[in-house]
Amino acid sequence: MQEIIDKILKESKNIAVVGLSPDPSKISYKIAKFLQDKKFKIYPVYPKEEEILNERVYRALNEIEDKIDLVLMFRKGEFANELFPVVVDKKIPNFWLQLGIFNDEVAKKCENLGINFIQNRCIMVEYQKQEK
């Protein structure tokens, strides 16, 4: 598992952050800001707002035209079922469910298709481990 996490963090540059709140007190905002500060390009996916963290907000993952390396999800676990077909369609190699979020069904589907899948892990904590 750690090997896959290290590979994702090393190779990903463009990250779609699904469920990125515009509220600076929310964990999704704090983590997206952290990733931006570490020179990742973030693509906020949120139903409202025009801009979050000085980035254009997309209403859905399939609206993003740039190549995405990683989908980072801050929504309830079952929402991964909706995102999964888009991840496959857009050939996104990595799918990450933030700490406290699980979806074993999607985990299995990703495994079968060779998509790196992480669940119930905090990307910021994992990045900080690498820095040490």
Side-chain angles (χ1 to χ4, degrees), residues 5-82:
I5 289 171
D6 293 345
K7 180 180 186 328
I8 291 171
L9 292 173
K10 191 171 147 214
E11 295 176 2
S12 296
K13 301 287 176 251
N14 294 342
I15 303 176
V17 185
V18 178
L20 172 49
S21 173
D23 180 346
S25 72
K26 299 284 188 194
I27 196 70
S28 62
Y29 185 98
K30 291 175 181 174
I31 290 174
K33 173 88 173 87
F34 172 85
L35 293 170
Q36 258 188 339
D37 291 346
K38 296 298 179 184
K39 307 300 179 221
F40 291 95
K41 168 81 170 133
I42 64 159
Y43 296 79
V45 179
Y46 191 73
K48 300 184 279 272
E49 308 298 321
E50 294 308 311
E51 211 175 76
I52 299 174
L53 290 166
N54 299 315
E55 296 289 349
R56 173 187 166 196
V57 174
Y58 296 86
R59 301 290 169 246
L61 181 58
N62 59 9
E63 288 181 10
I64 303 171
E65 292 176 8
D66 294 351
K67 180 185 174 291
I68 297 298
D69 304 308
L70 169 64
V71 171
L72 176 61
M73 191 182 91
F74 286 90
R75 301 272 316 264
K76 289 187 174 146
E78 54 270 17
F79 190 72
N81 295 319
E82 286 181 44

Side-chain angles (χ1 to χ4, degrees), residues 78-124:
E78 54 270 17
F79 190 72
N81 295 319
E82 286 181 44
L83 284 180
F84 177 74
V86 183
V87 168
V88 173
D89 191 47
K90 293 180 78 57
K91 297 177 175 51
I92 300 170
N94 306 294
F95 195 179
W96 190 306
L97 308 189
Q98 190 54 27
L99 189 65
I101 306 170
F102 300 86
N103 190 315
D104 292 334
E105 180 188 339
V106 171
K108 195 60 143 164
K109 289 178 179 178
C110 284
E111 185 184 324
N112 291 338
L113 293 175
I115 296 168
N116 295 317
F117 184 83
I118 305 295
Q119 62 182 346
N120 191 34
R121 294 284 185 103
C122 177
I123 194 167
M124 187 168 76

